[in-house]
């Protein structure tokens, strides 16, 4: 009771959750200690925080659905420094003009010293001068003009439509040149030509398996284009080989989600070329984005069973088609017999007992089925 009163007084005055002991009179000192009250009810609080587990629900059987590219799976974007940017380039006429001026300066200096042959000087309408020899002062300007002419004329190049140059200096990416015609690029830069035209690639028959594990032979046609030349040239050793490997990988993942044929049920199969092509295109575009390749279309042009299972699957398909045909014929025959008997009896043309009705149904069924079969 004393503890309860103390607890009530301690909690009523301050409104907190701690227990404070009352102070004693003068001359009697007791160390006051705060005791957390919630520690006394730890087990009850823990029990109240326990949540009830949800009841397990029975899972319904999953039906196959059209293949879809995984939404969360993407190839790492790679080094951000490998992004296409404009490279250092000048119009070709500027390089040709500088090179021509440097050559003209060298020729004038050699003519002044008489080092040019007289016949060559006369061909340009100038007066030959006697050879006086090259002095030490003539070598620096000759060397400078020669270097300028070599750099100016050596950097001239011809840009083609549908091609680009990837420029590197000592292994470092310096830019991309997409200009066409006569251009000037520093001869110190290493040039690597990249085809940026719209291209298509048709694969050889590739092995794959469907959702049931049956071996398939698939031919895929891919329409693609190099969008980022820096990544295509420098991110991988060969972007065309990378594309071929990714096509085979994506095709194996997409085709393994559905069966090649559904013989006795109406379910999605790999014969839906549009759905399969869309899933393959999305997956392949996500895989090749890291190397600067844009995939516009990836369509399977032929999906066939492998040679070891082709004969068995052909017989199974023929049997399924035959069974479906017989089922449809039998349904139409039964409907025709039922309609004929109902019309005869409803109009009062004949009066049939059970035996005669069964005989008539039997004869009409045989007659109609034989006619439909022929």
């Amino acid at each position: 009771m004393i503890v309860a009163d103390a607890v009530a007084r301690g909690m009523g005055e301050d409104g907190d959750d701690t227990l404070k002991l009352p102070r004693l009179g003068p001359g009697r000192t007791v160390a006051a200690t705060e005791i957390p009250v919630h520690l006394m009810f730890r087990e009850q609080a823990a029990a109240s925080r326990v949540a009830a587990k949800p009841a397990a629900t029975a899972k319904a059987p999953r039906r196959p659905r059209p293949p879809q590219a995984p939404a969360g799976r993407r190839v790492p974007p790679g080094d951000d420094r490998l992004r296409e940017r404009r490279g250092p380039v000048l119009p070709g006429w500027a390089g040709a003009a500088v090179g021509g001026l440097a050559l003209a300066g060298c020729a004038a200096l050699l003519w002044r010293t008489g080092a040019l042959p007289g016949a060559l000087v006369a061909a340009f309408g100038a007066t030959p001068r006697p050879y006086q020899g090259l002095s030490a002062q003539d070598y620096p300007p000759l060397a400078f003009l020669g270097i300028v002419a070599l750099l100016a004329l050596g950097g001239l190049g011809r840009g083609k439509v549908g091609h680009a140059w990837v420029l590197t200096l000592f292994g470092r990416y310096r830019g991309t040149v997409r200009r066409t015609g006569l251009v000037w690029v520093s001869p110190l830069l290493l040039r690597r030509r990249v085809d940026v035209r719209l291209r298509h690639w048709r694969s050889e028959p590739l092995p794959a398996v469907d959702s049931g594990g049956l071996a398939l032979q698939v031919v895929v046609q891919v329409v693609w284009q190099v969008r980022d030349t820096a990544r295509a040239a420098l991110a991988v050793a060969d972007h065309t080989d990378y594309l071929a490997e990714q096509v085979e990988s994506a095709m194996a993942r997409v085709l393994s989600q559905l069966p090649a044929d559904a013989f006795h049920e109406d379910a999605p199969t790999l014969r839906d070329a549009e759905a399969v092509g869309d899933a393959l295109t999305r997956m392949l575009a996500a895989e090749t984005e890291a190397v600067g390749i844009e995939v516009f279309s990836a369509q399977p042009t032929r999906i066939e069973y492998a040679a070891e299972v082709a004969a068995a699957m052909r017989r199974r398909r023929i049997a399924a088609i035959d069974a479906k045909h017989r089922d449809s014929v039998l349904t139409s025959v039964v409907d025709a017999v039922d309609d004929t008997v109902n019309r005869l009896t409803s109009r009062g043309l004949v009066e049939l007992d059970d035996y005669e009705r069964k005989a008539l149904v039997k004869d009409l069924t045989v007659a109609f089925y034989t006619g439909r079969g022929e």
Side-chain angles (χ1 to χ4, degrees):
M1 294 297 293
I2 297 175
V3 175
D5 294 341
V7 170
R9 288 194 302 270
M11 296 182 62
E13 294 176 359
D14 300 333
D16 56 0
D17 295 339
T18 58
L19 175 62
K20 298 182 179 179
L21 297 179
R23 296 183 178 179
L24 302 179
R28 300 174 63 186
T29 59
V30 178
T33 307
E34 296 183 356
I35 303 176
V37 177
H38 65 273
L39 295 179
M40 302 171 61
F41 308 99
R42 177 177 298 177
E43 296 180 356
Q44 299 178 2
S48 63
R49 289 193 300 265
V50 176
K53 296 183 178 180
T57 57
K59 294 183 178 179
R62 298 179 59 187
R63 295 189 60 185
R65 56 183 178 180
Q68 299 178 355
R73 188 180 186 279
R74 293 184 64 85
V75 177
D79 193 354
D80 291 338
R81 292 175 296 179
L82 282 181
R83 292 191 179 277
E84 181 177 333
R85 61 178 183 271
R86 186 178 178 182
V89 60
L90 293 175
W93 61 264
V98 172
L101 292 176
L103 290 178
C106 290
L109 184 59
L110 292 176
W111 171 77
R112 185 176 61 83
T113 59
L116 291 178
L120 181 61
V121 174
F124 284 94
T127 303
R129 302 188 63 176
Y131 179 67
Q132 300 177 1
L134 294 174
S135 62
Q137 299 177 355
D138 297 331
Y139 287 104
L142 279 177
F144 175 75
L145 292 175
I147 293 175
V148 171
L150 182 63
L151 293 177
L153 299 179
L156 294 177
R158 181 170 58 92
K160 296 182 179 181
V161 177
H163 294 79
W165 280 327
V166 176
L167 308 179
T168 56
L169 179 62
F170 303 114
R172 184 179 180 182
Y173 175 64
R174 303 299 298 173
T176 299
V177 176
R178 288 181 177 261
R179 298 183 60 173
T180 58
L182 186 64
V183 297
W184 182 87
V185 180
S186 174
L188 301 179
L189 299 176
L190 181 63
R191 311 175 190 178
R192 180 180 299 181
R193 189 179 293 275
V194 179
D195 192 343
V196 295
R197 295 174 294 181
L198 187 66
R199 304 166 66 182
H200 73 278
W201 176 74
R202 185 183 179 90
S203 69
E204 297 293 332
L206 301 175
V209 293
D210 65 352
S211 60
L214 294 177
L216 303 174
Q217 292 288 334
V218 186
V219 178
V220 183
Q221 182 168 346
V222 183
V223 180
W224 61 284
Q225 186 181 25
V226 173
R227 185 63 62 184
D228 193 317
T229 56
R231 292 180 180 271
L234 304 176
V236 289
D238 192 337
H239 60 275
T240 55
D241 293 342
Y242 178 85
L243 175 64
E245 294 175 357
Q246 291 303 320
V247 167
E248 186 173 0
S249 174
M251 183 198 63
R253 281 180 285 166
V254 170
L255 267 62
S256 62
Q257 299 180 18
L258 289 179
D261 288 296
F263 297 102
H264 301 289
E265 59 182 1
D266 187 12
T269 65
L270 296 179
R271 302 303 173 184
D272 188 358
E274 183 176 359
V276 174
D278 291 344
L280 184 59
T281 301
R282 291 194 301 269
M283 184 177 295
L284 191 59
E287 295 291 342
T288 57
E289 182 182 0
V291 295
I293 295 178
E294 183 176 2
V295 176
F296 297 97
S297 173
Q299 299 292 332
T301 58
R302 189 172 73 242
I303 299 178
E304 297 178 350
Y305 288 104
E308 57 269 19
V309 297
M313 291 298 104
R314 189 179 299 110
R315 290 194 299 268
R316 185 178 179 184
R317 183 181 302 173
I318 293 174
I321 294 174
D322 184 60
K324 192 173 183 179
H325 174 69
R326 284 183 295 173
D327 182 72
S328 62
V329 169
L330 183 59
T331 301
S332 62
V333 167
V334 171
D335 293 341
V337 170
D338 181 67
D339 182 65
T340 302
V341 174
N342 288 335
R343 287 188 179 185
L344 290 175
T345 56
S346 63
R347 295 181 182 181
L349 298 178
V350 294
E351 294 182 359
L352 303 173
D353 56 9
D354 292 340
Y355 177 78
E356 292 174 344
R357 188 183 184 90
K358 292 179 181 179
L360 179 60
V361 169
K362 179 179 180 182
D363 294 339
L364 289 177
T365 302
V366 173
F368 288 166
Y369 193 83
T370 304
R372 295 293 178 88
E374 294 177 357

